[in-house]
Coordinates of all heavy atoms in Angstrom, one line a residue:
A64 N 97.7 107.8 46.9 CA 98.1 106.5 46.5 C 99.0 105.8 47.5 O 99.1 104.6 47.6 CB 98.9 106.5 45.1
F65 N 99.6 106.6 48.4 CA 100.6 106.1 49.3 C 100.0 105.9 50.7 O 100.6 105.4 51.6 CB 101.8 107.0 49.4 CG 102.5 107.2 48.1 CD1 102.3 108.4 47.4 CD2 103.3 106.2 47.5 CE1 103.0 108.6 46.3 CE2 103.9 106.4 46.4 CZ 103.8 107.6 45.7
D66 N 98.7 106.3 50.9 CA 98.1 106.3 52.2 C 98.0 104.9 52.8 O 98.3 104.7 54.0 CB 96.7 106.8 52.2 CG 96.6 108.3 51.9 OD1 97.7 109.0 52.1 OD2 95.6 108.9 51.7
S67 N 97.6 103.9 52.0 CA 97.5 102.5 52.5 C 98.8 101.9 53.0 O 98.9 101.4 54.1 CB 96.8 101.6 51.5 OG 96.6 100.3 52.0
I68 N 99.8 102.0 52.2 CA 101.1 101.5 52.5 C 101.7 102.2 53.7 O 102.4 101.6 54.5 CB 102.1 101.3 51.3 CG1 103.2 100.3 51.7 CG2 102.6 102.7 50.9 CD1 103.9 99.8 50.4
T69 N 101.5 103.5 53.8 CA 102.0 104.3 54.9 C 101.3 103.9 56.1 O 102.0 103.8 57.2 CB 101.8 105.8 54.6 OG1 102.4 106.2 53.4 CG2 102.3 106.7 55.7
R70 N 100.0 103.7 56.1 CA 99.3 103.2 57.3 C 99.8 101.9 57.7 O 100.0 101.6 58.9 CB 97.8 103.3 57.0 CG 96.9 103.1 58.2 CD 95.4 103.2 57.8 NE 95.1 104.2 56.8 CZ 94.7 103.9 55.6 NH1 94.6 102.7 55.2 NH2 94.4 104.9 54.7
S71 N 99.9 100.9 56.8 CA 100.4 99.6 57.1 C 101.8 99.6 57.7 O 102.1 98.9 58.7 CB 100.4 98.7 55.9 OG 99.1 98.6 55.3
H72 N 102.7 100.5 57.1 CA 104.1 100.6 57.6 C 104.1 101.2 59.1 O 104.8 100.7 59.9 CB 104.8 101.5 56.7 CG 106.3 101.7 57.2 ND1 106.6 102.8 57.9 CD2 107.4 101.0 57.0 CE1 107.9 102.7 58.1 NE2 108.4 101.6 57.6
T73 N 103.2 102.1 59.3 CA 103.1 102.7 60.6 C 102.6 101.7 61.7 O 103.2 101.6 62.8 CB 102.2 104.0 60.6 OG1 102.7 104.9 59.7 CG2 102.1 104.6 62.0
E74 N 101.6 100.9 61.3 CA 101.1 99.9 62.2 C 102.2 98.9 62.6 O 102.3 98.5 63.7 CB 99.9 99.2 61.6 CG 98.6 99.9 61.4 CD 97.6 99.2 60.6 OE1 97.8 98.0 60.3 OE2 96.5 99.9 60.4
V75 N 102.9 98.5 61.6 CA 104.0 97.5 61.9 C 105.1 98.1 62.7 O 105.6 97.5 63.7 CB 104.6 97.0 60.5 CG1 105.9 96.2 60.8 CG2 103.6 96.2 59.8
M76 N 105.4 99.4 62.5 CA 106.5 100.0 63.3 C 106.0 100.2 64.8 O 106.8 100.1 65.7 CB 106.9 101.3 62.7 CG 107.5 101.2 61.3 SD 108.9 100.0 61.2 CE 110.1 100.8 62.1
I77 N 104.7 100.5 65.0 CA 104.2 100.7 66.3 C 104.0 99.4 67.1 O 104.4 99.3 68.3 CB 102.8 101.5 66.3 CG1 103.1 102.9 65.8 CG2 102.2 101.5 67.6 CD1 101.8 103.7 65.5
E78 N 103.5 98.4 66.4 CA 103.3 97.1 67.1 C 104.6 96.3 67.2 O 105.5 96.5 66.3 CB 102.3 96.3 66.3 CG 100.9 96.8 66.4 CD 99.9 96.0 65.6 OE1 100.2 94.8 65.3 OE2 98.8 96.5 65.2
S79 N 104.7 95.5 68.2 CA 105.9 94.6 68.3 C 105.5 93.2 67.9 O 104.5 92.7 68.4 CB 106.5 94.6 69.7 OG 105.6 94.1 70.6
Q80 N 106.2 92.6 67.0 CA 105.9 91.3 66.5 C 106.7 90.3 67.5 O 107.9 90.3 67.5 CB 106.3 91.0 65.1 CG 105.5 91.6 64.1 CD 105.7 93.1 63.9 OE1 106.9 93.5 64.0 NE2 104.8 93.9 63.6
Q81 N 105.9 89.6 68.3 CA 106.5 88.6 69.2 C 106.7 87.3 68.5 O 107.6 86.5 69.0 CB 105.6 88.4 70.4 CG 105.4 89.7 71.2 CD 106.6 90.3 71.8 OE1 107.5 89.5 72.2 NE2 106.8 91.6 71.7
S82 N 106.0 87.0 67.5 CA 106.2 85.8 66.8 C 105.8 86.0 65.3 O 105.3 87.0 64.9 CB 105.3 84.7 67.3 OG 103.9 84.9 67.0
I83 N 106.1 85.0 64.6 CA 105.9 85.0 63.1 C 104.4 85.2 62.8 O 104.0 85.8 61.8 CB 106.5 83.8 62.4 CG1 106.5 84.0 60.9 CG2 105.7 82.5 62.7 CD1 107.4 83.1 60.2
Y84 N 103.6 84.6 63.7 CA 102.1 84.7 63.4 C 101.6 86.1 63.5 O 100.6 86.5 62.9 CB 101.4 83.8 64.4 CG 101.9 82.3 64.3 CD1 102.7 81.8 65.3 CD2 101.6 81.5 63.2 CE1 103.2 80.5 65.3 CE2 102.1 80.3 63.2 CZ 102.9 79.7 64.1 OH 103.4 78.5 64.0
D85 N 102.3 86.9 64.3 CA 101.9 88.4 64.4 C 102.2 89.1 63.1 O 101.4 90.0 62.8 CB 102.7 89.0 65.6 CG 102.4 88.5 66.9 OD1 101.3 87.9 67.1 OD2 103.3 88.6 67.8
L86 N 103.2 88.7 62.4 CA 103.6 89.5 61.3 C 103.0 89.0 60.0 O 103.0 89.7 59.0 CB 105.1 89.7 61.2 CG 106.0 88.5 60.7 CD1 105.9 88.3 59.3 CD2 107.3 88.8 61.2
L87 N 102.4 87.8 59.9 CA 101.9 87.3 58.6 C 100.8 88.1 58.1 O 100.8 88.4 56.9 CB 101.5 85.9 58.8 CG 102.6 84.8 59.0 CD1 102.0 83.4 59.3 CD2 103.5 84.8 57.8
G88 N 99.9 88.6 58.9 CA 98.8 89.5 58.5 C 99.3 90.8 57.9 O 98.9 91.3 56.9
H89 N 100.3 91.3 58.7 CA 100.9 92.6 58.2 C 101.6 92.4 56.9 O 101.6 93.3 56.0 CB 101.9 93.1 59.3 CG 101.2 93.6 60.5 ND1 100.4 94.7 60.6 CD2 101.3 93.2 61.8 CE1 100.0 94.9 61.8 NE2 100.5 94.0 62.6
N90 N 102.3 91.3 56.7 CA 103.1 91.1 55.5 C 102.1 91.0 54.3 O 102.4 91.5 53.3 CB 103.9 89.9 55.6 CG 104.8 89.7 54.4 OD1 105.6 90.6 54.0 ND2 104.7 88.6 53.7
A91 N 101.0 90.3 54.5 CA 100.1 90.2 53.4 C 99.5 91.6 53.0 O 99.4 91.9 51.8 CB 98.9 89.3 53.8
K92 N 99.2 92.4 54.0 CA 98.7 93.7 53.7 C 99.8 94.6 53.0 O 99.5 95.2 52.0 CB 98.2 94.4 55.0 CG 97.7 95.8 54.9 CD 96.3 95.9 54.4 CE 95.8 97.2 54.4 NZ 95.9 98.0 53.2
I93 N 100.9 94.6 53.5 CA 102.0 95.3 52.9 C 102.3 94.8 51.5 O 102.6 95.6 50.6 CB 103.3 95.3 53.8 CG1 103.0 96.2 55.0 CG2 104.5 95.8 53.0 CD1 104.1 96.2 56.0
Q94 N 102.3 93.5 51.3 CA 102.6 93.0 50.0 C 101.5 93.4 48.9 O 101.8 93.8 47.8 CB 102.7 91.4 50.0 CG 103.1 90.8 48.7 CD 104.5 91.2 48.3 OE1 105.3 91.7 49.1 NE2 104.8 91.1 47.0
N95 N 100.2 93.4 49.4 CA 99.2 93.9 48.5 C 99.3 95.4 48.2 O 99.1 95.8 47.0 CB 97.8 93.7 49.2 CG 97.4 92.2 49.2 OD1 97.9 91.5 48.4 ND2 96.5 91.9 50.1
D96 N 99.7 96.2 49.1 CA 100.0 97.6 48.9 C 101.1 97.8 48.0 O 101.2 98.7 47.1 CB 100.3 98.4 50.2 CG 99.0 98.4 51.1 OD1 97.9 98.2 50.6 OD2 99.2 98.6 52.4
F97 N 102.2 97.0 48.2 CA 103.4 97.0 47.3 C 103.0 96.7 45.9 O 103.4 97.3 44.9 CB 104.5 96.1 47.8 CG 105.7 96.0 47.0 CD1 106.5 97.1 46.9 CD2 105.9 94.9 46.2 CE1 107.7 97.0 46.1 CE2 107.1 94.8 45.4 CZ 107.9 95.8 45.3
I98 N 102.2 95.6 45.7 CA 101.7 95.2 44.4 C 101.0 96.4 43.7 O 101.1 96.7 42.5 CB 100.9 93.9 44.4 CG1 101.8 92.8 44.7 CG2 100.2 93.7 43.1 CD1 101.1 91.5 45.1
F99 N 100.1 97.0 44.5 CA 99.4 98.2 44.0 C 100.3 99.3 43.5 O 100.1 99.8 42.4 CB 98.4 98.8 45.0 CG 97.8 100.1 44.6 CD1 96.8 100.2 43.7 CD2 98.3 101.3 45.2 CE1 96.3 101.4 43.4 CE2 97.8 102.5 44.9 CZ 96.8 102.6 44.0
L100 N 101.3 99.6 44.3 CA 102.3 100.6 43.8 C 103.1 100.2 42.6 O 103.4 101.0 41.7 CB 103.2 101.0 45.0 CG 102.6 101.7 46.2 CD1 103.7 102.0 47.2 CD2 102.0 103.0 45.7
M101 N 103.4 98.9 42.5 CA 104.1 98.4 41.3 C 103.2 98.5 40.1 O 103.7 98.9 39.0 CB 104.6 97.0 41.5 CG 105.6 96.8 42.6 SD 107.1 97.9 42.3 CE 106.8 99.2 43.4

Side-chain angles (χ1 to χ4, degrees):
F65 304 106
D66 289 348
S67 182
I68 198 162
T69 303
R70 193 174 322 107
S71 298
H72 180 263
T73 303
E74 287 173 9
V75 169
M76 297 308 287
I77 290 172
E78 293 179 19
S79 66
Q80 286 81 33
Q81 299 300 322
S82 72
I83 193 162
Y84 306 105
D85 295 335
L86 71 79
L87 287 175
H89 289 297
N90 186 56
K92 176 80 171 92
I93 286 174
Q94 188 63 22
N95 287 338
D96 295 338
F97 176 71
I98 290 169
F99 168 75
L100 290 179
M101 292 304 101

